[in-house]
């Protein structure tokens, strides 16, 4: 592929300068698959060139994970070393930034007993929960990105030869990530300004309810009294901006835990632990999922909803135009990092406290959902209508046929 290495360099630079926004003297913690080693080295180079004084890389080996799932004792599945947990907490306390480089669809868990996998994931989630809360409350900087793999490309382009599919996936990602522009960093700065204007407009309009309507969906979501619309750029405890996900197209907030009522149907598959959950419907009453159906992935869906009590409630509502760069690709990526940015979506589980006005977060935190999980599922399409309902009952269109209404088309 022409200029491939140059674009990879631009990707690494974008992640460090705009995503993580590394600061002088800061620690960077990278979590990545061993298959991504070459790209991780590029990222480390740009981290050091831009001021990082130490980069720690936590390597993941998908084949080793399978061995662990198959052969570990029951006690081993539930074991997370204290020193590892404390290390992450200490680095977070020192103001470290955390970069997660995903290599989608490398994890081979076919044939693994789901109960063993659930036990391992639950134990790790419990052990790391204090650290995870530092991420979800935006106390520290963190960014999630993805690196294409042949396995992922084969899922998206099953009829193409592996190398051809991988090249096609890279080409699509270079466009989506704005890496084919003359100045990707400037392009991203302009993109984030547009998202910021939309979020500010929604905050000014101060809707108390959102109504989602499409085939199979008729859902009303109440927002907390002191809700706050945000986008992918957050600020850590030191006021340093960072982007949580690259790519990002969403404007989102946190719903009132008990304020979701009606029915909603997914519009894109949800991939969870290598299993595809699709054609599913949730029925909500007073915020809680009281019934559900699915034609694919029942066991996986039941596993999600049994995680904890908060797994039956919603922690995020996000608005994305159907003509976003990812949606315009007309591809199903089978990964939430991309599919959620092609579609309006909700998230089962943990609510982000950044979805509350800063001065009210301490008092209002109990009004939003708490859970060990945060799993996005897509509900947007070219048929979706979203209305905002104000305190006085007045109604205004936000999305019409899946796209921003004129006032929001900034």
């Amino acid at each position: 592929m022409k200029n491939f290495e140059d674009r990879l360099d631009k990707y690494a630079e974008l992640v460090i300068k705009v995503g993580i926004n590394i600061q002088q003297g800061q620690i960077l913690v990278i979590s990545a698959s061993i298959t991504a080693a070459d790209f991780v080295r590029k990222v480390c180079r740009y981290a050091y060139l831009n001021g990082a004084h130490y980069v720690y890389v936590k390597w993941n080996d998908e084949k080793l994970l399978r061995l662990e799932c198959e052969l570990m004792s029951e006690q081993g599945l539930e074991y997370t070393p204290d020193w590892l947990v404390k290390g992450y907490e200490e680095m977070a306390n020192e103001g470290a930034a955390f970069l997660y480089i995903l290599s989608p669809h490398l994890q081979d868990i076919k044939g693994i007993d789901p109960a063993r996998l659930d036990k391992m994931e639950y134990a790790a989630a419990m052990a790391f929960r204090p650290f995870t809360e530092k991420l979800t409350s935006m106390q520290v900087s963190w960014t999630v990105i993805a690196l294409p793999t042949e396995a992922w490309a084969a899922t998206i382009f099953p009829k193409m030869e592996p190398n051809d599919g991988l090249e096609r996936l890279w080409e699509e990602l270079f466009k989506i990530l704005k890496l084919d522009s003359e100045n990707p960093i400037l392009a991203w700065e302009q993109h984030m300004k547009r998202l910021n204007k939309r979020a500010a407009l929604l905050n000014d309009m101060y809707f108390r309810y959102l109504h989602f309507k499409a085939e199979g969906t008729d859902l009303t979501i109440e927002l907390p009294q002191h809700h706050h619309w945000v986008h992918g750029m957050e600020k850590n405890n030191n006021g340093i901006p960072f982007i949580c996900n690259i790519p990002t197209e969403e404007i989102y907030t946190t719903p009132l835990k008990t304020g979701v009522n009606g029915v909603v149907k997914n519009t894109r598959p949800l991939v969870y632990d290598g299993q595809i959950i699709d054609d599913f419907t949730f029925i909500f009453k007073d915020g809680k999922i009281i019934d559900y159906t699915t034609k694919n992935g029942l066991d996986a869906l039941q596993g999600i909803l049994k995680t904890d009590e908060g797994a039956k409630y919603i922690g995020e509502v996000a608005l994305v135009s159907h003509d976003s760069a990812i949606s315009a690709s007309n591809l199903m990526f089978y990964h939430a990092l991309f599919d959620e940015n092609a579609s309006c979506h909700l998230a089962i589980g943990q609510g982000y406290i950044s979805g509350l006005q800063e001065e009210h977060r301490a008092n209002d935190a109990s009004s939003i959902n708490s859970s060990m999980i945060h799993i996005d599922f897509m509900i947007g399409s070219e048929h979706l209508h979203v209305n905002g309902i104000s305190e006085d009952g007045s109604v205004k269109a936000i999305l019409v046929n899946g796209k921003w209404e004129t006032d929001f088309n900034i």
Side-chain angles (χ1 to χ4, degrees), residues 2-21:
K2 187 178 180 181
N3 301 324
F4 180 71
E5 290 298 326
D6 289 342
R7 291 183 178 183
L8 278 186
D9 279 325
K10 286 184 177 181
Y11 192 12
E13 184 179 23
L14 177 72
V15 168
I16 290 299
K17 287 187 175 181
V18 178
I20 285 295
N21 189 15

Side-chain angles (χ1 to χ4, degrees), residues 17 39 93 95 169 176 187 220 229 236 335 356 376 392 395:
K17 287 187 175 181
F39 182 71
N93 291 337
L169 179 55
I176 289 168
T220 300
W229 288 95
N236 64 22
H335 196 280
L356 296 173
D376 297 290
D392 62 4
V395 178

Side-chain angles (χ1 to χ4, degrees), residues 14 18 41 66 74 76 126 163 192 199 210 247 357 381 398:
L14 177 72
V18 178
R41 295 185 190 105
R66 183 178 180 90
E74 293 294 317
M126 286 294 291
N163 286 339
M192 298 312 295
L210 301 175
Q357 296 170 18
S381 72
I398 301 174

Side-chain angles (χ1 to χ4, degrees), residues 84-94 127-128 130-131 134:
L84 182 61
V85 176
K86 290 177 180 177
Y88 271 77
E89 291 177 355
E90 288 178 7
M91 287 187 288
N93 291 337
E94 292 176 15
F128 277 98
F131 166 73
K134 292 181 183 295

Side-chain angles (χ1 to χ4, degrees), residues 148-220:
T149 64
E150 281 194 2
W152 186 20
T155 303
I156 302 170
F157 308 110
K159 296 182 180 180
M160 298 183 71
E161 292 296 321
N163 286 339
D164 294 338
L166 182 59
E167 183 172 333
R168 170 74 188 282
L169 179 55
W170 269 116
E171 289 174 349
E172 293 293 341
L173 262 59
F174 284 148
K175 288 187 288 187
I176 289 168
L177 298 170
K178 308 183 192 306
L179 297 172
D180 57 351
S181 63
E182 186 174 339
N183 188 334
I185 291 176
L186 178 60
W188 269 91
E189 289 174 349
Q190 293 171 341
H191 176 60
M192 298 312 295
K193 286 180 180 178
R194 287 192 293 272
L195 293 181
N196 190 56
K197 288 180 180 178
R198 289 194 184 108
L201 189 56
L202 283 166
N203 284 322
D204 288 343
M205 291 184 174
Y206 186 64
F207 299 119
R208 284 304 308 278
Y209 300 88
L210 301 175
H211 182 219
F212 292 79
K213 182 73 173 177
E215 184 178 355
T217 292
D218 189 353
L219 189 73
T220 300

Side-chain angles (χ1 to χ4, degrees), residues 91-344:
M91 287 187 288
N93 291 337
E94 292 176 15
F98 298 83
L99 174 63
Y100 298 87
I101 302 176
L102 308 181
S103 297
H105 299 266
L106 279 184
Q107 189 177 16
D108 178 15
I109 59 170
K110 186 177 181 180
I112 296 293
D113 181 356
R116 288 178 61 82
L117 189 61
D118 289 344
K119 183 173 290 189
M120 177 185 284
E121 292 177 342
Y122 182 83
M126 286 294 291
F128 277 98
R129 189 164 190 176
F131 166 73
T132 304
E133 288 176 350
K134 292 181 183 295
L135 299 185
T136 58
S137 62
M138 311 301 168
Q139 295 180 43
V140 297
S141 302
W142 55 277
T143 302
V144 180
I145 66 168
L147 205 67
T149 64
E150 281 194 2
W152 186 20
T155 303
I156 302 170
F157 308 110
K159 296 182 180 180
M160 298 183 71
E161 292 296 321
N163 286 339
D164 294 338
L166 182 59
E167 183 172 333
R168 170 74 188 282
L169 179 55
W170 269 116
E171 289 174 349
E172 293 293 341
L173 262 59
F174 284 148
K175 288 187 288 187
I176 289 168
L177 298 170
K178 308 183 192 306
L179 297 172
D180 57 351
S181 63
E182 186 174 339
N183 188 334
I185 291 176
L186 178 60
W188 269 91
E189 289 174 349
Q190 293 171 341
H191 176 60
M192 298 312 295
K193 286 180 180 178
R194 287 192 293 272
L195 293 181
N196 190 56
K197 288 180 180 178
R198 289 194 184 108
L201 189 56
L202 283 166
N203 284 322
D204 288 343
M205 291 184 174
Y206 186 64
F207 299 119
R208 284 304 308 278
Y209 300 88
L210 301 175
H211 182 219
F212 292 79
K213 182 73 173 177
E215 184 178 355
T217 292
D218 189 353
L219 189 73
T220 300
I221 296 178
E222 182 178 359
L223 303 178
Q225 182 178 1
H226 301 118
H227 71 272
H228 181 63
W229 288 95
V230 291
H231 51 81
M233 181 170 281
E234 297 278 0
K235 288 185 179 180
N236 64 22
N237 272 359
N238 296 320
I240 304 300
F242 64 97
I243 300 178
C244 301
N245 299 331
I246 295 181
T248 183
E249 299 278 353
E250 63 183 334
I251 311 293
Y252 68 93
T253 190
T254 305
L256 185 68
K257 178 179 179 179
T258 57
V260 183
N261 289 279
V263 60
V264 65
K265 181 176 174 56
N266 77 302
T267 53
R268 284 179 172 242
L270 167 61
V271 179
Y272 180 75
D273 278 347
Q275 301 178 72
I276 294 178
I277 307 170
D278 198 11
D279 201 2
F280 58 90
T281 297
F282 292 135
I283 298 175
F284 289 88
K285 183 178 181 182
D286 298 330
K288 187 175 183 179
I289 297 172
I290 60 169
D291 199 6
Y292 59 91
T293 61
T294 184
K295 292 185 178 179
N296 298 287
L298 178 60
D299 289 345
L301 184 57
Q302 289 175 332
I304 291 172
L305 297 178
K306 289 191 298 186
T307 303
D308 54 27
E309 182 62 19
K312 299 179 181 68
Y313 292 82
I314 295 297
E316 176 191 346
V317 52
L319 303 178
V320 180
S321 178
H322 186 65
D323 58 0
S324 72
I326 299 174
S327 181
S329 72
N330 292 317
L331 294 175
M332 193 74 69
F333 286 90
Y334 297 97
H335 196 280
L337 180 61
F338 287 83
D339 288 331
E340 74 170 18
N341 287 295
S343 168
C344 289

